[in-house]
Amino acid sequence: MLKVLNHPLITHKLTQMRKKETCTKDFRENLDEIAELMAYEVCRDLPVEPIEIETPMAKCTGYQLSKEVVIVPILRAGIGLLDGIRRLVPTAKVGFIGLYRDEETLEPHEYFAKFPKDLEHSVVMIVDPMLATGGSALAAIQMIKKRGAKNIKLVCLVGAPEGAEAVQKEYPDVDIYLAAMDEKLNDIGYIVPGLGDAGDRIFGTK
Ligand code: PRP
Ligand code: URA
């Protein structure tokens, strides 16, 4: 499943992020707000279980989340989506995957991995603003699956058709959520029109 969240608020905030003159502070704040808006939609099908409760007026059946949610940002840029999602799912656990993309080969290289226990019975959200060639997402999904995860969602801000197709082909069971699907990749593997280098813009490193 590929879902592009065409929502006016998300599109407006993403447009602010895309502008080359947008400063680090505004870039980060808009990303944080979009993450929260996206989380609402990404969580739409989270499983719930009935629970008997008593209100001040009467006994009734309520519903509570029945599975752990684990958010896994791909370092560095994925960190920019973490807090916004956590505001909506404050009980979520957090894992980390460190990957960087070789600028020449565009291949992802792993440098860090740390996960909570029991990924097998959790809903795992891999989060990263950019889905370009899909190499990083594929590597992250492979790492998570190797640890037993069965219910995986990939949450990205901007996608390229090449990356989305690569993930759908290799892992049709992984649901992909995007704020926007862009036109293409350029010859150095950047998304066009995109927003440039997400990590550098979030952390002010260029
Ligand atoms: C960026 C981005 C993704 C990856 C996408 O990270 O945040 O992780 O590139 O490209 P792909 O789909 O072609 O793999 P980068 O490797 O630049 O690392 P950073 O987050 O540390 O800046
Ligand atoms: N990584 C980014 O940060 N931006 C792109 O456009 C592609 C990969």
Side-chain angles (χ1 to χ4, degrees):
M1 193 272 284
L2 168 67
K3 187 156 193 175
V4 181
L5 307 178
N6 285 317
H7 187 288
L9 286 176
I10 293 178
T11 307
H12 175 86
K13 291 171 194 295
L14 178 57
T15 300
Q16 304 308 310
M17 294 178 68
R18 289 185 190 275
K19 291 179 187 170
K20 64 180 181 189
E21 66 270 22
T22 296
C23 67
T24 299
K25 174 180 174 288
D26 292 346
F27 189 90
R28 219 175 36 237
E29 285 175 2
N30 278 289
L31 177 60
D32 180 60
E33 289 166 10
I34 292 176
E36 189 168 349
L37 292 168
M38 288 187 80
Y40 183 75
E41 191 57 38
V42 172
C43 291
R44 189 174 283 283
D45 66 351
L46 287 186
V48 291
E49 62 191 4
I51 173 177
E52 295 311 314
I53 60 162
E54 196 169 345
T55 76
M57 314 308 284
K59 289 185 176 171
C60 71
T61 303
Y63 293 88
Q64 63 185 10
L65 295 179
S66 60
K67 288 200 169 188
E68 292 273 14
V69 174
V70 177
I71 308 167
V72 181
I74 301 179
L75 305 177
R76 294 175 296 167
I79 292 279
L81 290 160
L82 179 59
D83 287 349
I85 300 177
R86 264 180 126 190
R87 276 199 297 279
L88 283 200
V89 196
T91 53
K93 295 182 174 164
V94 181
F96 292 95
I97 290 177
L99 289 175
Y100 72 90
R101 199 170 72 142
D102 183 293
E103 285 182 7
E104 299 292 321
T105 66
L106 303 182
E107 290 296 317
H109 293 274
E110 180 186 332
Y111 59 88
F112 189 73
K114 182 89 181 166
F115 303 105
K117 292 196 182 74
D118 200 19
L119 292 186
E120 187 178 348
H121 300 105
S122 305
V123 177
V124 181
M125 295 179 194
I126 299 173
V127 304
D128 189 328
M130 309 308 277
L131 177 63
T133 64
S136 303
L138 290 173
I141 294 167
Q142 190 185 38
M143 290 166 72
I144 297 286
K145 282 198 177 249
K146 209 168 75 185
R147 288 160 175 90
K150 296 195 166 50
N151 188 339
I152 302 175
K153 295 170 183 290
L154 176 66
V155 184
C156 301
L157 196 65
V158 182
E162 294 89 332
E165 274 162 33
V167 174
Q168 284 180 301
K169 188 164 164 227
E170 188 79 16
Y171 297 112
D173 57 317
V174 172
D175 291 337
I176 307 172
Y177 298 84
L178 297 176
M181 176 71 89
D182 274 11
E183 198 187 318
K184 59 179 183 186
L185 291 179
N186 68 11
D187 54 6
I188 54 165
Y190 274 77
I191 299 174
V192 178
L195 45 73
D197 189 303
D200 284 340
R201 296 198 68 185
I202 292 167
F203 297 108
T205 39
K206 245 181 205 161

